[in-house]
Amino acid sequence: MRARFVASEVWQGLRRNLTMTIALIITIAVSLALFGAGLLVRQQVSQMKGFWFDKVEVSIFLCTKNSQEASCNGPASEEEKAQLAADLEGMRPLVQDVYFETSEEAFTRFQEQFAGSPIADSATPEDLGESYRVKLSDPDQYSVITSAFSGRPGIERVDDQKQVLDKLFRLLDGLQVISMGIAIAMLIVTVLLVGNTMRLAAYSRRRETGIMRLVGASKFYIQLPFLLESVIAALIGAILAVAAIVGIKIMLVDRFLEPSFQFTPFVGWDTVWVVSAILIGIGVLLAALSAVFTLRRYLKV
Amino acid sequence: MIRFENVTKQYKSQHSPALRDVNVDIERGEFVFLVGPSGSGKTTFLRLCLKEDKPSEGTVWVAGKNVGKLSSWRVPHLRRQIGTVFQDFRLLPNKTVFENVAFALEVIGKPRGHIKTVVPEVLEMVGLDGKEKRFPHELSGGEQQRVAIARAFVNRPEILIADEPTGNLDPNTSIGIMKLLDRINRTGTTIVMATHDAQIVDQVRKRVVELADGIVVRDQARGVYGYAH
């Protein structure tokens, strides 16, 4: 194996097809960047899910004197409250935590939320009523609580925050599917473009490869420069894509999103590095595979 | 060295075979002219020796190997034992004379030091010493063919196959090329040369195998181009 000879062949090949090489690098960079962005969004969504679902609570509101619901007959009685507390206790480990919010506490929170608004002034602690805040070990199982308690005497209604979040996450999931779809389409384009570029390269160097065959060069020796060319182009493209991903992390996440939305966590550098490694791996692998398959067809020995 | 046993070659796109039941035995160190009109099967004969094609029927033996049964990864090894020269030289225009000859050794992984000693030797042998740094377009046709012969011979193959090597050259230059091939033949290399050049065949008086429509119609030990007398 003559490393210097192979290196000079590769360099000449890349230079001779300079425009195609540039097109290849840019396509690989764009498609990998899109793919990487899709992966980041995916990671972001699952991180947000973990964060928010952890905080999701099911609220069981007890009847107040104003309640109109059929299950209510004036404020909930002490026996009803005790029965409810005992039932919740019996539902461990699904029920992780139970917090009893008194009308005074609810009133204070309400005053804070609507400070300065006329609603805050007109409300009294009795209007707001008492509630149980139930935290579940598995937020997806909220229907167990709902079906067990809604409609029971003394209970006004059962509210589940997850239903609200579900709508948001369905939107995010949709965005994620779209971005992944675009990224996969771009990766297919990349594979086809690598194949086409290799075909052109094989054609433009048919003199050299023809002589190589005649003097008895091995298949490996004939194909190696082509393979290295596509792998090098893919590597440069992947590095550009990684730069784009790092740019997104710095410009969009660190400088804009994180200061603006402090209540939710964003993807960290560890995720960015994992995604970068995936991009480089996928880029090089796709380029190498597509080059090998094309060369098998166009560079017969 | 080369033996064709009842070889028939049928190309899919043509209805009559390119070679029909050909039996030829070429000994080590022989010099054989392959003559016949265009389309008579000369090039097919040479392609079968190189395993560019497989025989449809029969067996082709080259350097002791059954070429038809050779697995594809062994083909490069076969081709290293055969030097090839063509009518159109097939030099690389962007490489110098030295680089063109060195290329044949580089691509089979020969070490740099070996190349540096062997290439000047072979260039001197073909009469191109002092022209190592020229590019093909700076050379005459005869000189270009000498470069091609140097490239074919630099790895000291046992067989040299030449497909109309003088086809693009004037008669005087052709004689020079023939003298060179004769010298190579005298080093023990078997030479098979397909040609249209009646003058050369008649002058050199070597063995002549004549093909017509894929059939061997003549095999003479010291033959001439056409049927004489």
Side-chain angles (χ1 to χ4, degrees):
Chain A
M1 182 52 55
R2 301 274 318 281
R4 209 195 304 186
F5 173 74
V6 172
S8 90
E9 284 288 303
V10 169
W11 175 238
Q12 277 180 27
L14 284 173
R15 270 199 7 208
R16 190 170 343 195
N17 274 329
L18 192 62
T19 50
M20 276 312 274
T21 308
I22 291 171
L24 193 61
I25 290 174
I26 292 175
T27 314
I28 291 173
V30 170
S31 58
L32 285 180
L34 267 174
F35 185 66
L39 287 180
L40 281 189
V41 170
R42 194 184 166 82
Q43 190 56 36
Q44 176 66 44
V45 169
S46 78
Q47 205 169 321
M48 276 168 79
K49 273 184 183 161
F51 180 80
W52 284 103
F53 284 0
D54 234 30
K55 303 207 163 11
V56 161
E57 290 170 338
V58 180
S59 304
I60 302 170
F61 292 97
L62 302 178
C63 294
T64 63
K65 62 178 167 44
N66 300 327
S67 297
Q68 303 293 312
E69 276 73 10
S71 58
C72 290
N73 189 13
S77 68
E78 286 307 314
E79 296 93 81
E80 282 165 346
K81 279 191 232 174
Q83 181 61 43
L84 181 54
D87 285 351
L88 283 173
E89 209 50 43
M91 288 173 90
R92 288 182 193 276
L94 174 63
V95 171
Q96 211 172 40
D97 267 316
V98 180
Y99 177 73
F100 182 70
E101 194 182 53
T102 62
S103 349
E104 278 72 29
E105 282 169 336
F107 180 69
T108 320
R109 206 160 51 83
F110 186 81
Q111 293 283 20
E112 276 168 11
Q113 247 174 359
F114 295 94
S117 136
I119 315 168
D121 302 330
S122 62
T124 63
E126 286 73 41
D127 294 328
L128 287 161
E130 300 159 329
S131 64
Y132 280 96
R133 295 292 158 88
V134 183
K135 194 147 174 276
L136 301 179
S137 55
D138 177 5
D140 283 326
Q141 300 283 325
Y142 65 89
S143 59
V144 176
I145 305 286
T146 319
S147 64
F149 297 110
S150 62
R152 247 167 75 155
I155 291 173
E156 189 185 280
R157 65 197 153 86
V158 181
D159 252 10
D160 175 35
Q161 295 172 338
K162 190 169 180 297
Q163 279 171 321
V164 183
L165 282 178
D166 270 348
K167 276 184 196 145
L168 173 68
F169 282 125
R170 226 174 291 147
L171 177 72
L172 289 175
D173 280 342
L175 289 177
Q176 190 184 313
V177 167
I178 291 169
S179 74
M180 277 313 204
I182 294 172
I184 286 167
M186 288 297 288
L187 288 179
I188 292 171
V189 169
T190 308
V191 168
L192 297 179
L193 191 72
V194 170
N196 244 329
T197 310
M198 285 299 106
R199 214 178 71 179
L200 270 176
Y203 184 74
S204 76
R205 266 187 278 165
R206 60 195 186 286
R207 267 173 185 278
E208 279 87 345
T209 52
I211 291 166
M212 283 169 124
R213 287 181 39 189
L214 275 178
V215 300
S218 64
K219 201 180 192 169
F220 179 71
Y221 222 104
I222 295 174
Q223 295 190 352
L224 189 67
F226 293 93
L227 186 64
L228 285 179
E229 268 171 58
S230 79
V231 166
I232 287 171
L235 205 58
I236 296 172
I239 287 168
L240 291 177
V242 167
I245 296 294
V246 169
I248 289 173
K249 166 72 176 152
I250 293 173
M251 305 302 287
L252 190 67
V253 177
D254 287 359
R255 298 233 178 113
F256 174 67
L257 289 176
E258 225 153 37
S260 318
F261 302 94
Q262 286 176 344
F263 52 83
T264 188
F266 286 96
V267 284
W269 283 107
D270 50 341
T271 313
V272 172
W273 298 134
V274 170
V275 168
S276 301
I278 291 173
L279 292 189
I280 291 174
I282 285 186
V284 168
L285 198 71
L286 282 185
L289 284 179
S290 121
V292 164
F293 277 107
T294 318
L295 293 176
R296 275 218 323 215
R297 276 185 62 191
Y298 292 97
L299 277 186
K300 291 215 176 82
V301 173
Chain B
M1 208 64 207
I2 299 175
R3 194 159 83 236
F4 277 53
E5 287 172 355
N6 309 102
V7 172
T8 296
K9 176 64 192 177
Q10 171 79 55
Y11 286 109
K12 272 176 204 152
S13 52
Q14 285 158 346
H15 44 83
S16 64
L19 287 180
R20 226 177 290 184
D21 198 25
V22 169
N23 285 286
V24 174
D25 197 346
I26 297 168
E27 297 294 327
R28 180 183 294 273
E30 261 194 294
F31 192 127
V32 180
F33 284 118
L34 208 55
V35 302
S38 297
S40 58
K42 301 191 298 291
T43 301
T44 303
F45 186 97
L46 300 181
R47 285 173 66 86
L48 288 174
C49 296
L50 287 163
K51 217 211 166 196
E52 296 259 16
D53 280 319
K54 270 189 202 170
S56 312
E57 280 167 48
T59 321
V60 176
W61 296 88
V62 175
K65 293 188 191 81
N66 182 344
V67 172
K69 289 220 173 99
L70 212 57
S71 62
S72 70
W73 65 274
R74 282 180 192 272
V75 172
H77 190 254
L78 170 78
R79 291 188 184 145
R80 285 177 202 190
Q81 296 174 300
I82 308 173
T84 342
V85 178
F86 296 93
Q87 184 175 9
D88 57 358
F89 319 138
R90 302 203 185 169
L91 301 177
L92 298 174
N94 55 342
K95 288 193 192 301
T96 63
V97 168
F98 182 94
E99 288 165 348
N100 261 289
V101 178
F103 185 77
L105 295 174
E106 281 168 338
V107 299
I108 58 173
K110 293 281 183 195
R112 186 162 281 264
H114 175 75
I115 294 173
K116 276 193 178 144
T117 56
V118 167
V119 174
E121 277 172 25
V122 78
L123 284 177
E124 197 198 329
M125 179 191 174
V126 301
L128 286 172
D129 41 332
K131 297 192 172 168
E132 292 87 347
K133 292 209 167 84
R134 303 283 189 89
F135 285 93
H137 65 89
E138 297 169 336
L139 302 175
S140 69
E143 286 171 328
Q144 290 187 43
Q145 192 60 294
R146 284 167 191 270
V147 178
I149 292 170
R151 182 179 65 194
F153 191 61
V154 70
N155 200 27
R156 307 283 158 161
E158 295 181 77
I159 302 167
L160 188 78
I161 282 176
D163 194 358
E164 311 230 15
T166 60
N168 277 347
L169 306 174
D170 63 65
N172 281 337
T173 315
S174 298
I175 290 168
I177 295 294
M178 285 314 299
K179 281 185 178 156
L180 177 56
L181 289 177
D182 191 43
R183 268 186 71 191
I184 288 174
N185 179 230
R186 270 187 262 137
T187 66
T189 306
T190 312
I191 296 186
V192 183
M193 173 173 160
T195 186
H196 277 307
D197 199 329
Q199 205 189 343
I200 281 176
V201 179
D202 292 347
Q203 272 176 3
V204 181
R205 290 287 176 132
K206 300 278 188 187
R207 181 175 164 194
V208 173
V209 173
E210 183 177 346
L211 287 164
D213 291 327
I215 300 168
V216 178
V217 293
R218 176 163 64 115
D219 189 346
Q220 264 181 309
R222 289 173 67 79
V224 291
Y225 186 80
Y227 283 105
H229 339 288

